[in-house]
Amino acid sequence: MPFEGTGYTIGELMASRISQEVRDETFVGTGAASPGPMAGVLLAKATHAPDVTYVAIGASDPELNPISGKEAFDLAQRGKLDLFFLGGAQIDAEGNINLSVIGDHDAPDLRLPGAAGSGMLYYMTNRIILFRMEHTKRVFVEKVDFITSPGASDGRVHRPGGPHILITNLCVMRYLGNTKRFELESVNEGVTVEEVVENTGFEIDIPADVPMTQRPTPGHLSLLRSSIKEKVAGIYPAFVAGGGFGA
């Protein structure tokens, strides 16, 4: 369902914002548990980036897997994977992500799925978009309990890629490579800067003027609620059934 008073869902807002980051004639990939990124890439492909090559790693639909997951990893190692999406149970001030454990590593409170391909992809993909549908201090912490994949590396490490922006249900933040910190880019409709600060467990750089995240256009909403909704439902039926898209 749309969040109060906006006429669109938070999933639609995030997908619309994600679509703006997709460049035509590039390779873009998504991994597991990525319905919002999938919708955003498909939206870009249906609008301004018709010649993007998109691979949804693990999807059974051949239309969403024009190349194999192995080929996508090969592309990343050759510097040709332009954009990928990562989340994390925890994300900290420096862009480190935790997909491994909550609590002490040897006696954790919760053991998580683990790195999968995130370790290599965080280094080698040209741009990484971090995303979370839950923006709380439980997720956005000063320091992750365990660094599954680091947000930055020193000069001894070959690292063409890294975090680019962070998109959540409250805001969009941009990662500043020179300071290795996040700067608030925009707040979502109905959200204040103060609410973002209150729900983030680390300090954010805040410009003097913080705009509202651009609303999805009527054309974007029409696509998201028709052909794109159908494709996403084939991979993520729970997301669609739970109100990820409007009526």
Side-chain angles (χ1 to χ4, degrees), residues 113-205:
S118 66
M120 186 275 285
L121 291 172
Y122 210 8
Y123 280 78
M124 302 304 295
T125 304
N126 294 327
R127 296 179 299 142
I128 292 287
I129 291 180
L130 299 173
F131 69 99
R132 275 303 305 253
M133 291 286 283
E134 177 195 344
H135 192 134
T136 65
K137 288 184 175 179
R138 183 178 75 92
V139 174
F140 295 101
V141 298
E142 178 63 34
K143 192 70 175 177
V144 294
D145 293 347
F146 183 86
I147 299 177
T148 305
S149 300
S153 307
D154 64 33
R156 298 171 299 171
V157 178
H158 176 64
R159 185 170 188 166
H164 176 55
I165 59 173
L166 166 63
I167 299 178
T168 79
N169 60 313
L170 296 185
C171 67
V172 179
M173 299 187 205
R174 189 162 295 277
Y175 187 78
L176 304 177
N178 58 331
T179 62
K180 300 178 182 177
R181 305 284 293 191
F182 288 99
E183 178 182 76
L184 189 59
E185 178 183 285
S186 65
V187 292
N188 297 346
E189 187 170 0
V191 178
T192 66
V193 172
E194 291 72 24
E195 286 176 304
V196 173
V197 171
E198 289 170 4
N199 286 279
T200 307
F202 55 81
E203 186 176 347
I204 313 163
D205 293 338

Side-chain angles (χ1 to χ4, degrees), residues 37 48 71 94 109 143 155 157 161 181 189 205 218 224 240:
H48 68 274
E71 288 174 298
E94 296 184 354
D109 299 323
K143 192 70 175 177
V157 178
R181 305 284 293 191
E189 187 170 0
D205 293 338
L224 287 167
V240 173

Side-chain angles (χ1 to χ4, degrees), residues 214-234:
Q214 184 176 332
R215 295 167 58 99
T217 67
H220 280 186
L221 290 176
S222 177
L223 287 165
L224 287 167
R225 294 174 181 181
S226 55
S227 58
I228 293 172
K229 182 178 181 178
E230 291 177 9
K231 290 179 182 177
V232 175

Side-chain angles (χ1 to χ4, degrees), residues 50-105:
D51 294 321
V52 70
T53 299
Y54 171 44
V55 54
I57 295 175
S60 57
D61 184 345
E63 185 179 348
L64 299 176
N65 255 334
I67 61 175
S68 69
K70 179 184 180 304
E71 288 174 298
F73 280 82
D74 289 344
L75 282 169
Q77 292 178 73
R78 289 159 47 201
K80 294 184 179 296
L81 186 60
D82 183 63
L83 186 62
F84 198 79
F85 301 82
L86 293 175
Q90 293 177 323
I91 300 172
D92 71 18
E94 296 184 354
N96 301 315
I97 62 174
N98 177 11
L99 294 163
S100 301
V101 296
I102 300 297
D104 180 77
H105 180 267

